Structure formats: structure tokens, C-alpha cells
Amino acid sequence: MDITNFIASHRNDALLLGDYNAYRTQLSRRLLTLRRKLGRASPRGRKYAPQITVTAQDVAGNHEFVHLLLLTSERAWAHAMHMKSTHSADTSTKGITGSARRHIISRLRKASNYANQLVRLLQDRSITGASAENVLEARAYLSSLAGSVEFEKQGWERCVKHYAKAHMIYTALATSTTKDVFKDLLNNIIDPSIRYAAYQLRLPRTLAVATIARRHFPRSDAELIAEIEKLDSDLFSEPIPGAKKVSGKENDNLPRTVSWRSRTVNLEDASIAQALASVIVAEEMLSGSLSTSEDVGMSAKEKAAAYDGVLISSQDAVDATKSAIDELTGEGVGPGDKRMQALQVTRTAVNYALIGWRIGRNRILCGEHDGAILEVETIQKPKKPRKDGKEWIPRKEGTGRKLARLRERVVLYDATLQSLDSVKELPGVAADEAFMTELEAKRGYFQALK
């Protein structure tokens, strides 16, 4: 049935080409086609015909009845999101008024009703043939829609509980499969909603989203907990203080402080600490890959590819820091506040680390001695023998190929110089004369290589 992938692919394909209204229009066309295919379309000449309820036997006979309910639910959701985006973008009014909010809530409630109908059908697994994962995906989809209803009603406690269900289910499904769709939903929809609702509930900012979801998950649903624990038995257990589940099997201590030059500040935001813990793990993996590169015989491109993990983790740390600064700014916290100053130091440290990894990757691609010496490359012999039976004579690299390699290095040097220039724009860098002198020396080195 692949419920989550079906929804995510439809949303991504439609929203890449248009807005929520275009998505809603596309869903209406697909619904009409599917209803005709399943024999559920309104008869000709009649404007309205009562819809026949989908039964478990229908789903067992044709899984496209699942798609029928999903598309109907998604159309109501798209209608709500279109109204919300339209009113939010209209600066001439006071935003979303009472009547508009009630209309949005009614569409979201309609979407959750169809999702609830789907869950009840799939729970009859003996007839529908649905797997446990299918039921979990349907329940996560229902919880996300129910959470969005409470989000618009500003019922923050119930909102967190619904989104906590979706978070725990998607997290368990993400650990048991290699699909990225569950992680994308967590990062883009579920976790930001939990974080905002937690802020409205005045929960401490140091609490991680996973901790909030674990504590607000309704423990009365023993059946759901048992199904989730089949996928990840440790998901509901409280972690050891100061430890974080970085991957499926590894635990690392969360960093408590971050240092930049002579300053050391405490990490009060849990999301930044988690991101930095992931960076530490990625650094260890990179170090292990590079230490064995000579024995394995890795090429320069393969060594550079090994930097992808640490670059992605470092970018996550930069994004988490920026989000924390934006949240404090939105709360009206001034630049003189201790929390804001600590985040600015953290911002400089994590951005400089990211830039350092980028430059390191560029140096690997430039070759030995940072590309100061252009190595002579010999063109490989063709695998097929010559027609006259003689051996192929090795040829030297042509001038055109050498010039192409030099141009590639110039591009890498330009990227390195731009990265070094961007360091100067970080908070506190311009006032550090010793560090600025060091930066200028490094810039002069790469400028000379260029």
C-alpha cells in the first residue's frame, strides 16, 4: 500500500509545479478518474449522489480504495493549507480571522475524518491484508492531521500529544527502513510543530523534540506502543543523562559547551547539542576513512566524497543555531542578552568549522601539495587489443587536458577564497586582529596558488 510514500510523492510533485490550490485541483482530477475506475463516480445528469461507504472487503479486493480515501483526505488538507497561506500572505487584513479560521479547521477535520476511516478499515487486517507497517503509517498520518486541527484551534496540549504519536511512529519506521520519506516528514512538518507547541506550553528550550514526544505520548494506547516497540524496542526508554541516540545502535555524550578562540559558552539549546554530537560521529567516520585510504587505494574523488557526512552534519548544526537565534529574535530578545551572545559565539564556531571542512575537501580535490605541482597523468591503455596485434603505446596527457585540470583547480581556489572571505562576516571575527592576520595569511597562500 505504501501510504506515506504515496502522500509524500503527490505533495512534492504538485507543490514543485504550483501552490496548494494547484495541488487541490490536481487531486480533484485524480479523484474523478479513480472514482470512475472503481465505479464510484456520480451518475450522468445528477449533480450529487450519496457516496457509498468503503468497506474492508472493498480494500481487500482492490487496494486503490485506500488511495481513494487518501486522495479525498489530501484534497481537504490542501484546501485548508491554501486558505491559510492566502490569509497569511494578505498584509491588508489582520491575518486569519475567526470565520476563516473556522473554515480552515473544518477542512482539516474533514481530512482527519477520512484518515480515521482508513485507520479503522486497515485495523481489520484479517480481511484487508494490511501489514502492521501499513496500519502504523495510517495512524501516523491520522495523528499528523489531528495535530494540525489542534494547532489551528491553539489547543497546544492536545496538539503535542497528537504530533507525539506521529513522531514516535515515524521515528520507529525510519529506523527499520532505509527510506528518507519518514525523516523528511519529521524534519519538515512534525518536529517544527512540536517545537512551536512546546514553546506555547512554556516547556524548557533545552528539552529535545524526542524527549517532548516521549513524555507526551499517550501511554493508555498499549497496542500502539507494542507495535512501535517491535520496530524499535528502546524508543520509549528514557536515555541516560547526557547521552543521545545518534544512529540506530550508537550512543554518544552530548557536548555541553562550545569554544571559539578564548571564549567558551554553554549549549542551552538541545537541538544544537544533538547536531554537534552528530558532527563528532561524522568526524570519527571521516578520520577512519582517510586513515585507511592509502591501504585501500582511494582516489582523490573518493576521499572527497568521504567528506559528505561531516559536511551535512555541520550544515545541520549551522541551521540549528540559526533557528535558535531566529526564535530568540522573534521573542524580542536583544543582542545584549547572555543567551543571544552565547548563540552568536556558537554561530561563529559552527560556521567556521563548516567552512574548514569545505576547504579541506577542496584541498583533497586539488591534489598533493594543494595543487602547487601539476602531476603528469598517463592515458590508460584501451582494453581491446589493436587490430594489427601490436601493443598500445602509452600516450602522454595532451595540452587540452592539462588546461582543463588547471581550470578545475582555479575553480576550487576561487571557492576556497570565497569561503575565507565569508569568515570575516561572522560575529566577533572583525574585532579579533590576530585572527584577521591569520586569515589574510591563509588567503594570500591560496591566492598565490591560484
Side-chain angles (χ1 to χ4, degrees):
M1 295 180 186
D2 207 4
I3 295 170
T4 307
N5 208 24
F6 179 81
I7 296 167
S9 61
H10 275 71
R11 287 184 183 180
N12 294 336
D13 293 343
L15 295 179
L16 282 174
L17 300 176
D19 56 5
Y20 290 109
N21 195 36
Y23 181 37
R24 179 190 173 200
T25 304
Q26 183 187 87
L27 289 171
S28 296
R29 291 196 299 266
R30 293 189 178 182
L31 268 173
L32 179 58
T33 303
L34 186 58
R35 282 173 179 164
R36 286 174 176 171
K37 183 179 179 181
L38 297 175
R40 295 299 180 94
S42 299
R44 289 183 178 275
R46 295 182 63 180
K47 293 184 178 179
Y48 174 76
Q51 293 186 6
I52 304 173
T53 305
V54 178
T55 64
Q57 288 76 12
D58 293 330
V59 175
N62 192 340
H63 286 173
E64 289 194 351
F65 279 100
V66 173
H67 297 166
L68 179 64
L69 293 173
L70 288 174
L71 291 175
T72 309
S73 175
E74 278 293 283
R75 185 173 63 172
W77 176 85
H79 189 188
M81 292 299 102
H82 171 61
M83 289 189 293
K84 185 176 180 180
S85 60
T86 302
H87 285 82
S88 299
D90 189 2
T91 57
S92 62
T93 62
K94 295 181 180 180
I96 303 177
T97 58
S99 59
R101 186 176 298 278
R102 286 193 296 272
H103 196 183
I104 291 171
I105 292 172
S106 71
R107 296 301 89 190
L108 291 174
R109 188 178 288 113
K110 179 179 180 180
S112 63
N113 287 339
Y114 279 104
N116 189 31
Q117 182 181 350
L118 176 62
V119 170
R120 292 200 306 269
L121 289 174
L122 295 184
Q123 284 178 335
D124 193 353
R125 294 169 55 187
S126 60
I127 298 177
T128 60
S131 64
E133 286 75 14
N134 295 147
V135 178
L136 284 176
E137 289 184 35
R139 296 196 68 170
Y141 178 59
L142 170 61
S143 298
S144 66
L145 291 176
S148 64
V149 172
E150 298 300 333
F151 191 97
E152 296 302 325
K153 293 171 64 176
Q154 299 181 0
W156 305 118
E157 185 69 32
R158 295 186 298 274
C159 176
V160 172
K161 287 183 178 180
H162 287 303
Y163 277 122
K165 275 188 181 181
H167 175 91
M168 300 301 280
I169 294 173
Y170 283 138
T171 302
L173 290 170
T175 58
S176 63
T177 183
T178 57
K179 295 180 181 178
D180 292 332
V181 62
F182 303 115
K183 296 179 182 178
D184 292 340
L185 287 172
L186 286 170
N187 295 331
N188 299 328
I189 298 176
I190 307 300
D191 290 358
S193 301
I194 292 176
R195 178 60 68 188
Y196 185 82
Y199 165 73
Q200 295 294 336
L201 290 172
R202 302 292 189 269
L203 296 180
R205 289 169 51 84
T206 53
L207 285 178
V209 172
T211 303
I212 297 172
R214 189 183 306 109
R215 293 179 180 178
H216 286 78
F217 188 93
R219 300 289 174 150
S220 58
D221 198 341
E223 182 183 353
L224 178 58
I225 293 176
E227 291 294 335
I228 294 175
E229 287 183 337
K230 289 180 182 179
L231 300 176
D232 191 341
S233 58
D234 299 328
L235 197 58
F236 287 97
S237 59
E238 287 289 339
I240 300 172
K244 170 184 175 286
K245 191 172 182 181
V246 176
S247 61
K249 299 180 180 179
E250 298 179 356
N251 287 336
D252 273 339
N253 291 329
L254 287 174
R256 299 294 182 185
T257 60
V258 63
S259 299
W260 168 249
R261 306 289 284 174
S262 60
R263 294 196 61 180
T264 300
V265 295
N266 294 324
L267 288 173
E268 297 182 357
D269 195 290
S271 59
I272 300 176
Q274 291 172 0
L276 289 176
S278 299
V279 172
I280 294 172
V281 174
E283 289 176 358
E284 294 175 354
M285 294 177 63
L286 174 62
S287 178
S289 298
L290 295 180
S291 62
T292 59
S293 60
E294 296 298 332
D295 300 333
V296 180
M298 294 174 63
S299 64
K301 290 184 178 180
E302 291 173 335
K303 292 179 183 178
Y307 278 75
D308 289 346
V310 72
L311 285 172
I312 293 172
S313 300
S314 299
Q315 185 63 56
D316 290 341
V318 170
D319 294 340
T321 306
K322 183 179 182 301
S323 298
I325 292 174
D326 291 342
E327 287 179 9
L328 284 184
T329 304
E331 295 171 14
V333 178
D337 190 274
K338 291 183 178 180
R339 294 173 296 170
M340 184 64 79
Q341 292 180 353
L343 284 175
Q344 294 292 358
V345 173
T346 305
R347 176 189 171 193
T348 302
V350 296
N351 274 278
Y352 184 70
L354 174 61
I355 291 170
W357 291 118
R358 286 175 179 169
I359 294 175
R361 183 177 182 273
N362 291 344
R363 294 178 70 182
I364 290 290
L365 290 172
C366 286
E368 295 183 2
H369 308 293
D370 293 329
I373 301 174
L374 186 64
E375 300 86 355
V376 178
E377 289 189 355
T378 303
I379 298 178
Q380 294 182 354
K381 298 180 180 180
K383 294 181 179 180
K384 293 183 179 180
R386 291 178 55 167
K387 293 181 179 180
D388 55 6
K390 298 180 180 178
E391 293 186 1
W392 290 100
I393 301 174
R395 293 184 300 164
K396 293 184 178 180
E397 187 179 21
T399 305
R401 175 58 185 161
K402 289 181 180 179
L403 289 173
R405 289 170 56 203
L406 289 172
R407 292 191 191 98
E408 291 175 359
R409 292 187 181 182
V410 168
V411 172
L412 292 171
Y413 292 142
D414 283 335
T416 301
L417 293 172
Q418 291 176 5
S419 297
L420 290 173
D421 291 337
S422 65
V423 175
K424 301 176 184 178
E425 301 174 2
L426 297 175
V429 171
D432 193 336
E433 295 183 0
F435 185 62
M436 287 294 291
T437 303
E438 180 183 338
L439 274 181
E440 289 298 331
K442 292 178 179 178
R443 195 184 190 286
Y445 170 71
F446 286 104
Q447 184 66 46
L449 288 173
K450 178 184 173 182

